[in-house]
Amino acid sequence: MMTKDPYHLIDNYKTIPGVYDELYDAEGQIRNKYKFLVKSFQELGPAELINRRRDTDRILRENGVTYNLYQSEQREAKERPWELDLFPLVMESEEWRVLERGLNQRADLLDALIRDVYSKRRLLFEKKIPPEILFNESSFLRACDGMYESNHFLAKNPALLFFVCDLIRAADGNFYVLNDRVQAPSGSGYSLENRIVLSRIFPSMYRDAMVHRVAVYFRSLRKSLTQLSGVSGRDPVIVLLTPGPSNETYFEHAYLAGYLGYTLVQGEDLTVRKNKVYMKTVEGLQQVDLILRRVDDDFMDPLELRGDSLLGVPGLLESVRSGNVKIANPIGTGFLENRALLPFYSELCRFYLGEDLILPMAPTYWLGNNEHYQLVIQNPEKYVFKTVSRTDEETPVTFVELSGQRKDIFLEKLYSAPKRFIAQEMIESATVPVLGESGFRPGRAIMRTFVSSSGSGYQTMAGGLVRVSPSLDEFFITSQRGAWSKDLWVLSTETQKEESLLVPKSDQILISRKSSGVPSRVADNLFWLARYLERSENQTRVIREAIFKILQVEDGYEKESLENILKLVTHVTNSFPGFLGDDSGELFANPFPELQRLTVDKNIVGSLGFHLRSLVLASKSVRDRLSDDMKKILLHLEDQSNHGIDSYDQIIDYLQKIIVNLSSLTGLSFENMSREAGWYFLNLGRRIERSINMILMLQGMIQWKSFEDKSSFETFLRISDIRITYNRRYSGKIDQESVLDILLFDITNPRSLAYQLEQINSDLQYLPGKDKKIVYSEDRAALQLYTHFKMKDISIFFESESPLTSVSVWLEELHVYLRLLSDALSSRYFNYTEEQTRIGDTNG
């Protein structure tokens, strides 16, 4: 029974004496900014809060919000579901405005600093930092020297388009800067998703709280990117460059690309020709105006930077120097993440801006400075030690957690190379409320804020991403270490109007029904996504039919037909010898272990589990092209493939769910996807794979003389999902000729070979880059295939002495033509990329 105390959720919440707490003030009273929220949570009640928690987890899971972990060796295990605490961190407008001024000032400072570093380097001549910090650090890229002066747009526009700043509220209640991220800063997409989810879970609470909207930040960012592109008279071609699906924040890359309306690309999708950057699409080369990157500096150009990088674009730097492409943020800004700069920011702010730093740094010391070193080494327990370079493999440590041999090893590293390290005072953080199963409990938090350039300086997102640890003993609060997230609500003094990325009415949009460029890699993945989908569905139907037959045979029925369908299982999964081996007698006597293995084992090449995994992996490479419904179904497939199976009934139940999800995917792609270039490659993949599956199954059934058995006929018709139509058409009668006709030549059967070839011929006409005067390789291969098919009819085969042998030979010839067609499509559309080769192991 619920207590009448409106704040009973906080009965067990204990503050730490002398430590600033977000929820309670110094007098032990709930702060005004939280009273409304705490009361609202109380009124919902424990049961409803549990339901909202479940809804939150479900929405995040369905939306595919993940954070990938590098430590795991298992590819599937890298993805970790995103954790969102339901109770937001709240700041009032007055408090936020102080932070906002400090963050905007910091953006001006970083912009001035990076310009100076790559031009006049006044900070060295005026001895504002030691020269070693600049010249001994790999993040200073000599290849970028002078770029900010020679490039017209960089000289006139802010070099730093956006950055993120990590803040901590200390035990004294003041905010301190911990570090900055400028190369490929993550978090804004997660912050936006957190906001969308909470506003959906608590709609009235969110509305009544009058929270500042975050969409205005993204609208400002998109406007700044458009201006930076330098394009007039047309829409600029802007791409978001990602390292790929294995990157820890890949979800965010795909999410932001879709939200902002940009094409998501990988390094292999871009090429430099005559100092211009092009996207390699199935329509041809498309010049790129601006690259919004999520790849670190060193990896951006293997010609001039890190030679072993396969993430960047050879020749990119020279294209930037020529002013033919813009990069946000520019290559070279990674120097701003050099931690050795942190102790000098107060002085640098006075030097560049003539004013004091509004947001103080956490007290930091560079150990390459002897005074700093001597100060720190006297009392090392006060500090956390970090490497100067963020790319250094040494993880941050505190002396508190070191002991014995580990401590000796670290001290040796510190003594031998002090310039590698900084020491940052261990600031005791304020406590924040975290909603647990039994109410609120205190935790620690770090706040990530987002700043972008606007037409009148810099603008800070009125919100942010809060990483929180539910444990007060945890000092390092990072997503890699399993921190949760919170949404940051900045309260407004007046009702907020709705903000979105819709353009103002004053901006004219030209109507267009032409699709934007589809990168060759994307078309390739869509093509194979469809093939894996068809392959998975075919195998699911075959294995399911085999199990149905097993359950019938247990009653002493149709043993010969059972062996034929089990042989077909081995045939379609390519898991030889299996049921086709010389010693297959034991498998026929107890087929369950083999069927279980071929159903769920992802490590067996050719198994259903393997192809379902391949389907999911292909989908992740094109997730920005898929609808929310398709992504949800793919998520269900991924979840289902992780379940254990211990009986025939469980296999059947599992296969039924797989069939439904695969059919839903097919239906959504056919009914809901726009008929643009990407869709035609998807459909071609489906038709080619379905044709090949039909051919392989028929060849196997003919080889094992299954077509001399009526029961095998019926089995094959059920696998092809045409049995009801066949029985109605032929009144229950069955023979070889009619069965082969409905499977091969009946154009009304959507699974027949004839239907697939008609669709292939139709779709080829809509592929991009077609000139009616030219016969392309894929058209030639399709014509050979179609002509060879049309030269035959079922009656022709059954006029011969051995019709089934003739059919088998003819099917093999069609199979060859289908492979030639697939190869022709790959050669013309998918292999557009130049082969990248490692040209070195270090810079230069």
Side-chain angles (χ1 to χ4, degrees):
M1 184 174 178
M2 294 176 60
T3 176
K4 295 181 180 180
D5 178 1
Y7 302 131
H8 86 279
L9 282 172
I10 57 175
D11 284 350
N12 297 322
Y13 191 87
K14 305 298 181 184
T15 60
I16 302 174
V19 174
Y20 184 95
D21 183 76
E22 284 286 344
L23 190 59
Y24 280 105
D25 60 22
E27 285 73 39
Q29 301 297 315
I30 291 179
R31 298 183 189 275
N32 288 331
K33 61 183 179 181
Y34 280 109
K35 286 182 178 179
F36 167 73
L37 282 178
V38 173
K39 183 178 180 181
S40 299
F41 271 66
Q42 158 64 22
E43 290 172 349
L44 288 173
E48 183 58 26
L49 284 176
I50 291 173
N51 290 335
R52 303 285 175 107
R53 171 76 266 172
R54 290 172 181 166
D55 288 342
T56 299
D57 292 340
R58 175 183 55 79
I59 293 170
L60 290 170
R61 183 68 177 145
E62 288 179 349
N63 291 352
V65 188
T66 58
Y67 185 90
N68 296 344
L69 298 176
Y70 284 125
Q71 294 93 323
S72 174
E73 295 179 359
Q74 294 291 330
R75 192 170 187 182
E76 293 84 7
K78 285 183 179 178
E79 288 193 348
R80 190 189 69 206
W82 188 249
E83 297 282 355
L84 171 61
D85 182 29
L86 296 186
F87 197 73
L89 187 69
V90 177
M91 295 190 72
E92 294 176 319
S93 291
E94 284 298 320
E95 188 177 25
W96 177 254
R97 273 195 282 269
V98 177
L99 284 183
E100 190 174 35
R101 288 197 300 270
L103 291 168
N104 292 346
Q105 179 202 55
R106 194 168 187 84
D108 289 328
L109 170 60
L110 294 176
D111 184 73
L113 173 58
I114 198 64
R115 287 180 177 281
D116 187 31
V117 164
Y118 286 106
S119 56
K120 298 177 181 179
R121 286 188 277 280
R122 294 168 51 219
L123 77 170
L124 292 185
F125 291 108
E126 299 289 338
K127 298 182 180 180
K128 299 303 177 183
I129 67 169
E132 303 97 301
I133 291 179
L134 185 68
F135 295 120
N136 290 351
E137 171 55 31
S138 61
S139 62
F140 173 67
L141 305 180
R142 289 166 174 78
C144 297
D145 193 36
M147 188 182 298
Y148 293 82
E149 291 180 317
S150 62
N151 186 293
H152 172 71
F153 284 96
L154 285 179
K156 285 197 159 188
N157 293 280
L160 194 68
L161 193 70
F162 49 79
F163 86 105
V164 305
C165 184
D166 288 335
L167 303 171
I168 186 171
R169 193 197 285 271
D172 61 6
N174 295 317
F175 283 99
Y176 293 89
V177 174
L178 293 178
N179 53 58
D180 308 294
R181 292 286 183 268
V182 296
Q183 294 185 84
S186 63
S188 60
Y190 289 105
S191 178
L192 176 61
E193 180 68 12
N194 284 351
R195 176 62 57 86
I196 290 172
V197 171
L198 281 192
S199 63
R200 178 175 167 183
I201 294 296
F202 303 117
S204 58
M205 194 185 305
Y206 175 73
R207 181 185 62 251
D208 295 343
M210 296 194 299
V211 182
H212 275 284
R213 307 295 190 243
V214 298
V216 65
Y217 168 83
F218 294 96
R219 189 174 66 184
S220 175
L221 175 62
R222 191 170 68 174
K223 183 177 180 180
S224 297
L225 290 168
T226 300
Q227 292 174 343
L228 180 63
S229 69
V231 173
S232 59
R234 64 172 176 84
D235 288 334
V237 177
I238 300 176
V239 299
L240 194 153
L241 178 62
T242 174
S246 62
N247 184 261
E248 57 190 356
T249 55
Y250 177 73
F251 156 78
E252 182 178 65
H253 304 167
Y255 184 72
L256 287 178
Y259 188 75
L260 295 170
Y262 301 149
T263 301
L264 186 68
V265 298
Q266 297 179 28
E268 64 187 88
D269 298 326
L270 304 177
T271 185
V272 175
R273 306 282 178 87
K274 297 181 180 180
N275 276 349
K276 294 181 180 180
V277 177
Y278 293 90
M279 178 167 53
K280 294 171 283 194
T281 76
V282 293
E283 293 90 352
L285 292 176
Q286 183 178 12
Q287 187 175 349
V288 174
D289 300 304
L290 186 141
I291 300 173
L292 175 60
R293 67 182 175 106
R294 288 296 182 265
V295 175
D296 285 349
D297 281 348
D298 283 351
F299 297 92
M300 288 294 289
D301 186 347
L303 280 182
E304 297 194 53
L305 301 172
R306 183 165 172 164
D308 63 346
S309 169
L310 297 179
L311 303 179
V313 188
L316 179 61
L317 266 177
E318 186 57 33
S319 181
V320 173
R321 292 190 195 101
S322 303
N324 294 326
V325 71
K326 318 301 182 304
I327 310 288
N329 280 326
I331 301 173
T333 49
F335 178 73
L336 295 174
E337 296 178 357
N338 182 351
R339 296 185 178 115
L341 292 170
L342 298 179
F344 304 96
Y345 272 130
S346 294
E347 179 62 25
L348 289 172
C349 187
R350 287 188 288 269
F351 176 65
Y352 287 116
L353 306 182
E355 54 194 43
D356 291 329
L357 204 59
I358 296 174
L359 288 176
M361 293 295 309
T364 307
Y365 305 92
W366 176 54
L367 302 187
N369 180 300
N370 187 54
E371 291 183 10
H372 289 188
Y373 179 82
Q374 294 300 329
L375 175 66
V376 168
I377 210 66
Q378 289 176 12
N379 194 5
E381 289 77 12
K382 291 175 52 181
Y383 304 95
V384 54
F385 293 87
K386 303 176 184 179
T387 54
V388 166
S389 174
R390 203 165 57 85
T391 60
D392 200 312
E393 294 182 356
E394 195 78 39
T395 56
V397 296
T398 65
F399 263 55
V400 175
E401 63 179 322
L402 291 177
S403 62
Q405 187 178 9
R406 284 187 63 209
K407 188 172 184 178
D408 295 337
I409 292 173
F410 180 75
L411 283 173
E412 179 60 31
K413 292 178 181 178
L414 201 62
Y415 296 151
S416 61
K419 294 179 181 180
R420 279 183 62 201
F421 297 92
I422 64 160
Q424 202 166 54
E425 279 193 21
M426 295 175 62
I427 298 178
E428 184 178 11
S429 68
T431 51
V432 299
V434 180
L435 182 61
E437 294 181 359
S438 57
F440 293 115
R441 65 178 186 270
R444 310 277 189 186
I446 291 177
M447 185 168 64
R448 173 159 287 191
T449 54
F450 306 92
V451 183
S452 72
S453 173
S454 65
S456 56
Y458 285 96
Q459 175 173 309
T460 300
M461 179 197 291
L465 176 66
V466 181
R467 289 167 292 175
V468 60
S469 169
S471 171
L472 293 174
D473 298 327
E474 184 65 54
F475 180 78
F476 296 107
I477 306 172
T478 67
S479 298
Q480 279 287 324
R481 291 177 180 245
W484 296 4
S485 70
K486 273 181 174 288
D487 191 15
L488 173 60
W489 286 11
V490 179
L491 303 182
S492 172
T493 55
E494 56 186 20
T495 303
Q496 291 289 291
K497 65 178 182 179
E498 292 295 327
E499 296 283 359
S500 73
L501 290 188
L502 294 175
V503 299
K505 293 182 179 180
S506 57
D507 294 346
Q508 183 180 7
I509 296 180
L510 299 177
I511 300 299
S512 173
R513 295 188 176 94
K514 182 180 178 182
S515 64
S516 58
V518 178
S520 301
R521 174 191 54 82
V522 170
D524 191 7
N525 277 292
L526 287 170
F527 180 78
W528 278 100
L529 184 150
R531 295 196 64 170
Y532 286 129
L533 191 156
E534 281 297 322
R535 205 172 290 181
S536 299
E537 183 178 347
N538 185 62
Q539 290 182 352
T540 301
R541 291 179 179 277
V542 171
I543 295 173
R544 182 181 64 173
E545 196 60 34
I547 295 174
F548 284 154
K549 191 67 68 176
I550 288 170
L551 298 179
Q552 290 176 344
V553 169
E554 287 180 348
D555 298 327
Y557 180 65
E558 298 178 344
K559 184 174 182 180
E560 182 180 352
S561 178
L562 168 62
E563 292 187 355
N564 286 333
I565 189 65
L566 289 175
K567 290 176 182 178
L568 187 60
V569 170
T570 297
H571 188 63
V572 299
T573 57
N574 202 30
S575 55
F576 302 103
F579 294 106
L580 289 168
D582 295 334
D583 56 349
S584 58
E586 293 183 8
L587 289 180
F588 284 130
N590 182 22
F592 179 79
E594 180 72 359
L595 292 174
Q596 179 193 46
R597 190 175 71 97
L598 295 177
T599 300
V600 298
D601 195 333
K602 303 173 185 177
N603 297 316
I604 300 175
V605 177
S607 69
L608 174 60
F610 176 86
H611 287 123
L612 287 173
R613 181 179 68 175
S614 300
L615 166 64
V616 170
L617 290 177
S619 73
K620 289 177 180 178
S621 294
V622 294
R623 64 171 292 130
D624 59 309
R625 303 270 169 169
L626 305 178
S627 69
D628 290 340
D629 289 332
M630 293 180 75
K631 284 185 278 193
K632 289 175 183 177
I633 293 172
L634 286 161
L635 182 64
H636 292 324
L637 280 172
E638 191 173 9
D639 287 343
Q640 288 163 0
S641 65
N642 294 323
H643 293 169
I645 290 176
D646 299 315
S647 68
Y648 283 126
D649 287 339
Q650 288 180 350
I651 294 182
I652 290 175
D653 183 61
Y654 171 75
L655 295 176
Q656 289 291 133
K657 292 176 181 177
I658 296 296
I659 282 284
V660 170
N661 282 317
L662 292 176
S663 299
S664 298
L665 267 182
T666 300
L668 285 171
S669 65
F670 192 78
E671 292 295 333
N672 294 3
M673 287 184 71
S674 298
R675 292 329 191 239
E676 298 178 347
W679 182 87
Y680 288 104
F681 288 106
L682 185 79
N683 203 41
L684 281 168
R686 174 191 300 131
R687 302 306 173 187
I688 289 174
E689 188 63 34
R690 188 171 285 187
S691 300
I692 291 174
N693 289 336
M694 178 65 73
I695 289 172
L696 289 177
M697 287 194 298
L698 284 172
Q699 285 179 318
M701 300 295 277
I702 292 171
Q703 178 184 347
W704 310 312
K705 300 182 180 180
S706 300
F707 281 120
E708 297 177 4
D709 173 45
K710 178 182 177 182
S711 178
S712 294
F713 279 159
E714 293 175 339
T715 297
F716 206 91
L717 290 171
R718 279 194 294 269
I719 291 172
S720 302
D721 205 19
I722 197 67
R723 182 180 62 86
I724 294 175
T725 300
Y726 181 91
N727 287 343
R728 187 174 62 248
R729 186 177 295 177
Y730 294 104
S731 302
K733 300 175 183 178
I734 193 165
D735 67 2
Q736 294 177 351
E737 186 172 355
S738 59
V739 169
L740 289 174
D741 178 71
I742 202 170
L743 295 175
L744 292 174
F745 296 102
D746 189 347
I747 198 69
T748 67
N749 175 14
R751 290 188 173 274
S752 72
L753 187 58
Y755 188 89
Q756 312 316 314
L757 299 188
E758 291 289 346
Q759 290 294 308
I760 288 171
N761 261 3
S762 173
D763 289 347
L764 285 174
Q765 310 309 312
Y766 294 97
L767 294 184
K770 292 283 190 178
D771 185 336
K772 294 182 179 180
K773 299 177 182 179
I774 301 176
V775 179
Y776 297 95
S777 57
E778 69 273 13
D779 297 321
R780 191 176 296 108
L783 182 61
Q784 290 174 313
L785 170 65
Y786 192 70
T787 302
H788 198 71
F789 175 81
K790 283 296 187 179
M791 293 293 290
K792 297 291 184 179
D793 185 81
I794 194 64
S795 60
I796 296 176
F797 288 115
F798 278 84
E799 289 173 357
S800 64
E801 295 182 1
S802 53
L804 294 182
T805 301
S806 300
V807 168
S808 185
V809 172
W810 176 69
L811 288 174
E812 182 56 35
E813 292 167 347
L814 292 177
H815 192 187
V816 171
Y817 287 129
L818 281 164
R819 289 201 302 264
L820 289 175
L821 173 58
S822 179
D823 291 343
L825 287 169
S826 297
S827 178
R828 176 160 149 75
Y829 289 105
F830 308 151
N831 296 335
Y832 203 85
T833 63
E834 300 90 346
E835 184 175 352
Q836 297 189 41
T837 306
R838 296 181 186 273
I839 58 176
D841 296 324
T842 58
N843 287 4

